[in-house]
Each structure stands twice: as structure tokens, then as C-alpha cells.
Amino acid sequence: MMIIFWPLLSLCGLIELMNVVAKAWPHMGAIVAVIFLLIGLGWLIPFAIAVGAEVKWTVPRLILIFWMMENLMEICTLGHIPGNKFFNTVLSTGLWAAFAYTIWACFLAWGWGYNFDFNLKFEKSANFSDGVLVFLIVFGIVDIIWNAFGGYGNNLFSVLFSYHTDP
């Protein structure tokens, strides 16, 4: 029960407190946002070490990981600093949640006994396929181009070469 409710309630409480303080002191919105966002990055570290590290089975670990990802992404929709577009963008795009989730996941993995080796040498295994790598790279490029340019035009030229910045 603690895995389900404590992170959600504590993060919702933190964001609500940030909203209340930002409304009470609107002229100090940037300082309030910085303080609360920094607190929010480390807010779940004690939970990861004390509660999350005690989960030993694979299925509950997966549930915990996906539940926390959902919680952190949901929290982004709750925070709002009046008159501060930069911090509202950081919250609403999920950038803050991605950093918070990465920090939390690193401490959780450390609590589960996994070590980090940042020696990122690329070595092909026996199951490596050059065709699959080329397909993934081409698919990624096509996806990026389509998301940036695609679907906004009447002819092929305007679809492929007109960039729209509409939200």
C-alpha cells in the first residue's frame, strides 16, 4: 500500500504547496519554482532507498517502476507558476519529470544492488544484425522528419518542407 499511495500523495502535496506559495508570493515565482523543483528532484530518494529497495520480486519491481513513471508524469500536469512561462514549460513538457525519474531510478537500482558501469564500449554480440540497426536509424530519421514536417500541406513539397510550430 505504501508503494501505491505514498509517492503519489507526497508529490501531489509538494506540487500543491508550490502552487499555493507561488500564488501567495507572485513576485517571487521564479525563486519559488526553483526551490520546489530542486526539492522535487530529490523528494523520492528516501522512498527509493527505504521502501523500493525492499521489493525483491520481479513483478512488484516492474509495477513499482511503471507506477512511479505514471506518477511523475501525472504530477507535471498539476504544477503551475502564475506568469512564469519557462517553469510552466519545464513542468508541462515532462522535462522535470524525466530528470526526477532518472535520479529516482538510479537510487532505486543502487538499492536493488545494481552497479553502474559507464564504460560505454560498443561491442557486437553474436546476435547483432546490421540490417536491424540500419532499419532503426532510418525509422528514427523518418519519424523525426514526419513529426516535424509531415501532415501539414496540400502537396508533397509542402508536406515535406514546411515546418509548423503550432502546439
Side-chain angles (χ1 to χ4, degrees):
M1 296 305 283
M2 185 180 273
I3 288 173
I4 294 172
F5 293 112
W6 189 76
L8 182 62
L9 293 175
S10 66
L11 282 172
C12 287
L14 178 72
I15 295 296
E16 274 306 308
L17 183 62
M18 180 181 74
N19 290 338
V20 168
V21 171
K23 287 177 185 174
W25 295 314
H27 58 283
M28 297 183 65
I31 295 171
V32 169
V34 168
I35 290 170
F36 277 98
L37 291 178
L38 289 176
I39 289 170
L41 289 177
W43 189 260
L44 291 173
I45 292 172
F47 173 76
I49 293 171
V51 177
E54 297 300 319
V55 178
K56 302 297 182 198
W57 294 344
T58 304
V59 173
R61 282 182 177 181
L62 291 174
I63 292 170
L64 173 65
I65 288 169
F66 288 116
W67 176 246
M68 288 307 299
M69 188 182 335
E70 178 64 31
N71 284 344
L72 286 170
M73 291 301 168
E74 185 67 29
I75 295 302
C76 289
T77 62
L78 300 175
H80 179 73
I81 305 294
N84 197 324
K85 290 183 180 182
F86 176 76
F87 290 107
N88 291 334
T89 302
V90 168
L91 279 175
S92 65
T93 58
L95 181 65
W96 173 82
F99 281 123
Y101 186 76
T102 302
I103 292 168
W104 175 80
C106 287
F107 276 93
L108 186 64
W110 175 73
W112 286 340
Y114 296 106
N115 294 326
F116 293 103
D117 182 16
F118 294 106
N119 187 6
L120 301 175
K121 293 180 183 175
F122 181 71
E123 297 177 10
K124 293 182 180 181
S125 70
N127 297 326
F128 183 80
S129 170
D130 290 326
V132 171
L133 179 63
V134 169
F135 173 77
L136 289 174
I137 291 171
V138 169
F139 181 78
I141 291 170
V142 168
D143 187 45
I144 290 169
I145 290 171
W146 181 257
N147 285 332
F149 300 106
Y152 299 109
N154 298 332
N155 57 30
L156 183 62
F157 184 80
S158 65
V159 166
L160 295 178
F161 298 106
S162 62
Y163 187 80
H164 291 269
T165 58
D166 297 336

